[in-house]
Amino acid sequence: MLESSFTEITVPQQRTYNGDLFPTVLSPKPDCAALASNVSVLIEAIRAHKPWLQSLLHKTGAILFRGFPVATASDLNDVVEAFGFEELPYIGGAAPRNKVVGRVFTANVSPPDQKIPFHHEMAQLSDGEPFLEVIVHDQNCEA
């Protein structure tokens, strides 16, 4: 079973909520070299085990995938699309964003001197998909 290719790990930033760690953090098991080195294997694992991943998502509210070979915006787009969620186009938001590829957008391309007020990413939706994928890439940090 491919779920056994994943291992749940902990990170210092997790919090306990209703007895569960938030977010769930998944990493490739040490003996699953293909999953840790080939984004296509990750994409297949997500597609094949979407119900199991969704059960984790519904249980804890978020899954953080750590240590997987998602190196480019195209890789990220393919991983996001593997979940099969209906696309929610970015329309009418206050922040200027640029489409990078597929479903991948920049977070905000405002000049650095512009303040970003506290906000909720889904606040402007009347009825939207209850899933939001976010990735933060910091070139000053190691993955």
Side-chain angles (χ1 to χ4, degrees), residues 7 55 81 119 135 143:
T7 187
S55 72
E81 290 199 353
H119 64 286
I135 186 169

Side-chain angles (χ1 to χ4, degrees), residues 52-135:
W52 176 72
L53 291 168
Q54 280 188 298
S55 72
L56 289 176
L57 185 60
H58 287 289
K59 180 180 177 187
T60 63
I63 300 173
L64 171 64
F65 291 88
R66 173 144 306 164
F68 294 93
V70 181
T72 68
S74 291
D75 288 349
L76 176 60
N77 184 68
D78 293 345
V79 167
V80 168
E81 290 199 353
F83 282 95
F85 299 132
E86 184 179 337
E87 185 170 2
L88 179 65
Y90 183 71
I91 300 171
R97 298 176 186 205
N98 296 327
K99 185 176 202 168
V100 179
V101 63
R103 298 181 185 200
V104 179
F105 287 79
T106 58
N108 189 324
V109 294
S110 294
D113 65 330
Q114 300 295 309
K115 294 188 185 283
I116 301 173
F118 180 76
H119 64 286
H120 183 290
E121 290 296 327
M122 307 297 271
Q124 298 174 354
L125 300 177
S126 58
D127 183 33
E129 183 72 36
F131 302 102
L132 174 67
E133 289 100 2
V134 176
I135 186 169

Side-chain angles (χ1 to χ4, degrees), residues 33-62:
L35 191 59
S37 62
N38 186 330
V39 73
S40 296
V41 175
L42 172 60
I43 290 165
E44 182 178 320
I46 291 168
R47 287 183 182 143
H49 297 285
K50 184 179 171 186
W52 176 72
L53 291 168
Q54 280 188 298
S55 72
L56 289 176
L57 185 60
H58 287 289
K59 180 180 177 187
T60 63

